[in-house]
Amino acid sequence: MSDYVISCCSTADLAKEHFEERDIKYICFHFELDGEHYRDDLGQSISFDDFYQRMKDGAETRTSQINAEEFKEYFEAFLREGKDILHVTLSSGISGVCNSARLAAQELMEQYPERKIRVVDSLAASSGYGLLMDKAADLREEGKTLEELADWLEENKRRLHHWFFSTDLTFYIKGGRISKTAGMVGMVLNICPLLNVDHEGRLIPRQKIRTKKKVIQEIVNKMKEHAMDGADYSGKCYISQSACYEDARKVADLVEGAFPKLSGKVVINNIGTTIGSHTGPGTVALFFWGDERKD
């Protein structure tokens, strides 16, 4: 039995059953829907279908990260059990949650000098972050110590690729990520922006592609361009989606056709309520291992 736990934030966007099966612990972000407070608890408090439908119907959303006091309470439960902790956070390019986790870890290690807490900034998000955690579970099972695993994650996290597209610009306009004029023109022209997460963990627009059919093909082309071992890629591939499963399934089918040596089928998850509060419905994200992300 391992003498340490691996842990992350709920924004890794894996299914609750997946976390439990791989023995990955998690702490929940928070969000508000029309002023009502919820935990981002993997669709338990409110289903993903209901959440995205309410967004479509005009509900206002707000998100809040986990603060240091919450991390202290969460971490301390493991420390009291005599466990060390490897916690991997949502990308610092998206959220300040890594700072909260590190502050809590520093304070607790003064109280529990015999214990160890290592915090790693994933530079990842959604099920890409989840794919990183799944790999961490594999390496723990292979016998890596906490420090060995943390070092591996630091050395390899930029090899995890994230590519996103959206077919609905409504919430990008609403959140101020694109101007109202550009967004309205984009919707008239059926523009689907293609984005990725860069080497600093930031979500960056890369291309404006006209029509859903073309952006679905282009996101798969990005995997062909960057995947480890090219068409012989034999790692896992995850997709996350926000109320557009059919679009995600089309991407998955193309990936499975292009990469016959995949480790299992493509896993399709939901974009969780924290990240989904900002993307809205209509977003598909593709995650795989590849060459090192560089700007």
Side-chain angles (χ1 to χ4, degrees), residues 89-113:
T89 70
L90 178 66
S91 172
S92 60
I94 294 173
S95 168
V97 72
C98 188
N99 291 331
S100 298
R102 285 176 172 160
L103 179 61
Q106 182 178 354
E107 292 183 17
L108 284 169
M109 283 191 290
E110 292 174 0
Q111 298 176 37
Y112 295 83

Side-chain angles (χ1 to χ4, degrees), residues 2-261:
S2 170
D3 60 352
Y4 67 95
V5 299
I6 58 172
S7 169
C8 64
C9 308
S10 58
T11 43
D13 288 352
L14 298 178
K16 183 175 184 287
E17 296 75 18
H18 194 152
F19 280 120
E20 292 171 351
E21 180 182 342
R22 301 311 313 272
D23 192 21
I24 301 168
K25 311 302 182 184
Y26 60 91
I27 182 171
C28 296
F29 267 62
H30 314 275
F31 70 97
E32 290 182 9
L33 196 61
D34 278 343
E36 186 175 355
H37 180 83
Y38 294 88
R39 294 168 70 239
D40 178 8
D41 57 1
L42 316 178
Q44 304 303 299
S45 297
I46 180 172
S47 73
F48 296 115
D49 287 343
D50 288 348
F51 173 75
Y52 286 115
Q53 186 59 53
R54 287 182 65 178
M55 287 191 78
K56 290 178 183 178
D57 292 342
E60 294 292 330
T61 60
R62 288 185 59 187
T63 60
S64 57
Q65 67 185 39
I66 305 151
N67 63 41
E69 288 303 312
E70 290 175 288
F71 270 118
K72 284 179 66 177
E73 181 179 356
Y74 171 72
F75 288 156
E76 194 165 18
F78 301 121
L79 299 176
R80 287 173 175 167
E81 294 175 358
K83 296 284 188 178
D84 294 330
I85 303 164
L86 172 56
H87 183 79
V88 186
T89 70
L90 178 66
S91 172
S92 60
I94 294 173
S95 168
V97 72
C98 188
N99 291 331
S100 298
R102 285 176 172 160
L103 179 61
Q106 182 178 354
E107 292 183 17
L108 284 169
M109 283 191 290
E110 292 174 0
Q111 298 176 37
Y112 295 83
E114 74 284 4
R115 297 266 62 88
K116 183 181 299 182
I117 307 174
R118 180 87 179 261
V119 176
V120 173
D121 177 0
S122 72
L123 300 182
S126 194
S127 296
Y129 180 14
L131 184 54
L132 188 70
M133 295 309 302
D134 191 79
K135 181 64 174 180
D138 288 340
L139 295 173
R140 178 183 56 182
E141 289 179 2
E142 291 175 12
K144 283 194 180 296
T145 66
L146 184 155
E147 289 295 343
E148 288 171 340
L149 177 51
D151 290 345
W152 189 96
L153 293 172
E154 292 284 10
E155 292 168 7
N156 291 275
K157 61 190 181 184
R158 287 182 175 84
R159 291 177 43 241
L160 185 63
H161 279 254
H162 310 56
W163 290 91
F164 298 74
F165 71 79
S166 181
T167 59
D168 185 347
L169 303 183
T170 304
F171 295 91
Y172 291 83
I173 299 169
K174 191 174 183 179
R177 284 175 292 280
I178 60 175
S179 71
K180 185 174 182 179
T181 300
M184 295 305 293
V185 171
M187 286 192 288
V188 169
L189 297 177
N190 290 323
I191 297 295
C192 300
L194 181 65
L195 312 90
N196 81 333
V197 172
D198 73 359
H199 65 298
E200 294 182 349
R202 303 169 301 181
L203 186 59
I204 305 294
R206 297 299 185 185
Q207 295 174 243
K208 297 176 182 178
I209 299 174
R210 194 169 181 182
T211 76
K212 183 195 298 187
K213 182 178 180 180
K214 289 181 180 178
V215 79
I216 286 173
Q217 185 59 63
E218 184 59 25
I219 202 172
V220 178
N221 289 343
K222 293 300 183 185
M223 184 169 176
K224 292 177 181 178
E225 180 181 350
H226 293 286
M228 185 189 311
D229 300 321
D232 290 328
Y233 178 71
S234 58
K236 294 181 180 179
C237 177
Y238 289 176
I239 288 174
S240 58
Q241 55 83 31
S242 54
C244 52
Y245 180 84
E246 290 183 5
D247 294 340
R249 185 67 256 169
K250 289 176 183 176
V251 174
D253 289 343
L254 289 174
V255 168
E256 290 171 1
F259 299 92
K261 296 182 180 180

